[in-house]
Amino acid sequence: MAQLQLTHLGGPTTLIEVDGWRILTDPTFDSPGRRYTFGWGTSSRKVAGPAQARELVSPVDVVLLSHDQHADNLDDSGRELLAQAGTVVTTRPAARRLAAPNVRGLADWESTTLESPDRPSLTVTATPARHGPKFSEPITGKVNGFALHGHGEETAALWMSGDTVLYDGLREVASRLKVDVALLHLGGVRFSFTGAVRFTMTARESLELIGVLRPRVAVPVHYEGWTHFREPEAVARQTLSVVENVRWLTPGERTEV
């Protein structure tokens, strides 16, 4: 597979360009300032806008949507983009809720192949993710990560973790997949009434994951722009400075990895 170009647009939203495909992860393009509710008494305020407007990012061939139930992964403007995308790949529950003809829902370890007459085919495989502590899924909802494979290629050109803590499901990913570029959702999400319980990885947890996953490049995303992120970027950068294969992207800047 050809080299990837990544453009981090803010939060989890990243444009992936590879072999003629334009692939967008978790589209969020709303302006900052609004507070969004996530259910069960949780909420967060968006404090930073996208590095590029939605109109500048379109057209998009594929959206990899880790989940639809939280606005920091799919906001109002992002929902409008879904209808314009060629294909949306997401969780099975999200596919049922979105109920659109261009949406494909996958369970853990299911795959779908994307075809186009003018570019190589791509296989997308859903991988496990858990958006919080053990037994939290009935509250936080189903989340998936996704791996991208070129036709006949054993190594995943890219794997995105989705919003998840470090747990056995991610260690299973490391044991089953060879990964070139890992897109890791960090931020150490906490809410005031949940105390020390976290709902996404910290940099220290991602360091452990990088050690077992062993990607060529690890790219942190989804660690800024919202008030529910509790691990500052400076702390994450310091923690991850001990490994050489971590690549921090400048928002809005197209970067070859």
Side-chain angles (χ1 to χ4, degrees):
M1 183 170 281
Q3 199 82 358
L4 285 91
Q5 288 84 38
L6 300 181
T7 307
H8 184 208
L9 302 171
T13 310
T14 304
L15 179 66
I16 305 159
E17 296 175 88
V18 60
D19 282 344
W21 293 91
R22 291 173 60 83
I23 304 162
L24 191 68
T25 68
D26 287 353
T28 54
F29 292 96
D30 284 0
S31 299
R34 178 178 165 189
R35 179 170 290 278
Y36 299 78
T37 59
F38 296 155
W40 298 87
T42 62
S43 67
S44 183
R45 185 167 59 86
K46 188 173 186 178
V47 295
Q52 294 181 17
R54 186 185 71 195
E55 294 73 22
L56 297 179
V57 177
S58 297
V60 172
D61 301 305
V62 183
V63 172
L64 301 179
L65 179 62
S66 67
H67 59 301
D68 70 322
Q69 60 267 32
H70 301 140
D72 60 321
N73 297 86
L74 181 67
D75 58 18
D76 292 342
S77 186
R79 286 180 184 274
E80 293 175 7
L81 181 142
L82 295 186
Q84 304 164 12
T87 304
V88 178
V89 184
T90 188
T91 67
R92 283 190 172 184
R96 288 194 294 269
R97 287 187 290 263
L98 294 169
N102 66 333
V103 177
R104 305 182 192 183
L106 301 179
D108 291 356
W109 298 113
E110 285 187 336
S111 297
T112 188
T113 299
L114 307 170
E115 305 277 1
S116 175
D118 60 351
R119 68 200 80 162
S121 62
L122 279 179
T123 297
V124 180
T125 301
T127 60
R130 195 180 76 200
H131 202 352
K134 195 172 183 180
F135 306 122
S136 63
E137 186 174 308
I139 296 173
T140 59
K142 178 60 181 154
V143 177
N144 275 120
F146 293 103
L148 290 174
H149 286 85
H151 179 69
E153 294 184 351
E154 182 180 359
T155 299
L158 180 136
W159 171 67
M160 61 172 282
S161 68
D163 283 11
T164 183
V165 295
L166 180 62
Y167 77 116
D168 286 346
L170 291 196
R171 297 183 182 94
E172 181 186 6
V173 172
S175 69
R176 292 179 60 162
L177 290 182
K178 294 180 180 179
V179 173
D180 186 47
V181 177
L183 202 65
L184 303 179
H185 291 203
L186 304 184
V189 165
R190 288 192 295 114
F191 299 96
S192 56
F193 78 91
T194 59
V197 174
R198 296 191 184 272
F199 296 87
T200 60
M201 280 189 289
T202 63
R204 186 168 298 280
E205 289 172 326
S206 75
L207 192 62
E208 179 182 339
L209 178 60
I210 291 167
V212 294
L213 188 66
R214 300 178 65 185
R216 179 179 61 86
V217 179
V219 179
V221 296
H222 210 21
Y223 52 81
E224 43 67 47
W226 292 79
T227 57
H228 63 312
F229 291 123
R230 298 303 177 90
E231 182 174 69
E233 179 181 344
V235 172
R237 284 180 177 266
Q238 178 62 36
T239 301
L240 292 172
S241 65
V242 298
V243 288
E244 296 181 351
N245 62 334
V246 173
R247 186 78 174 269
W248 296 87
L249 303 181
T250 301
E253 184 176 295
R254 189 170 182 244
T255 304
E256 187 168 288
V257 295

